[in-house]
Amino acid sequence: QLQASGGGLVQAGGSLRLSCSDSGRPFRSYAMGWFRQAPGKEREFVGTITWAGGVPYYADSMKGRLTISRDKNQNTGYLQMNRVKPDDTAVYYCAAGPSNSYSSSGYSDWGQGTLVTVSS
């Protein structure tokens, strides 16, 4: 099962880097997606990456602050967010799916999330 990791407490203006893997097992889906869910809010699309070619796609609201990448040798995906804000506080999830969907319904294999808290 996929597992997102790397969350914790981050100061506003800082950066965070999250990882996602299935304990090092090969990632066999077409795409890895990243979503987040803030307290009391719906799950929100953050970005996605085509696993084979490494092509990323980002939510418009977060473009310029995000870098999504993957290391095929390590079977691990990464999400880096810069200039974080308190509004970025959420549980961040990674997921596997057959396309670069911007919708959570496009992903069938969800990992355990990791909590990111941004302090002001």
Side-chain angles (χ1 to χ4, degrees):
Q1 185 182 13
L2 291 174
Q3 173 74 54
S5 61
L9 182 62
V10 186
Q11 267 199 320
S15 299
L16 63 87
R17 189 186 193 217
L18 306 179
S19 302
C20 175
S21 75
D22 183 9
S23 301
R25 296 185 186 93
F27 186 86
R28 301 193 185 282
S29 293
Y30 179 83
M32 176 179 286
W34 288 90
F35 292 78
R36 68 183 185 182
Q37 188 163 18
K41 294 189 177 181
E42 293 187 355
R43 193 165 292 188
E44 176 187 22
F45 172 74
V46 174
T48 180
I49 187 165
T50 304
W51 192 258
V55 179
Y57 303 86
Y58 304 114
D60 286 344
S61 62
M62 285 174 268
K63 274 182 184 175
R65 296 198 297 129
L66 282 180
T67 302
I68 292 177
S69 61
R70 91 293 183 242
D71 183 329
K72 291 172 68 176
N73 291 331
Q74 297 294 323
N75 298 302
T76 301
Y78 301 98
L79 181 155
Q80 171 139 356
M81 183 180 292
N82 300 320
R83 303 188 302 280
V84 297
K85 303 176 285 187
D87 284 350
D88 293 321
T89 294
V91 177
Y92 285 72
Y93 298 91
C94 58
S99 68
N100 293 109
S101 176
Y102 284 30
S103 170
S104 60
S105 63
Y107 297 86
S108 56
D109 182 12
W110 288 84
Q112 298 286 329
T114 186
L115 175 63
V116 172
T117 303
V118 181
S119 63
S120 57

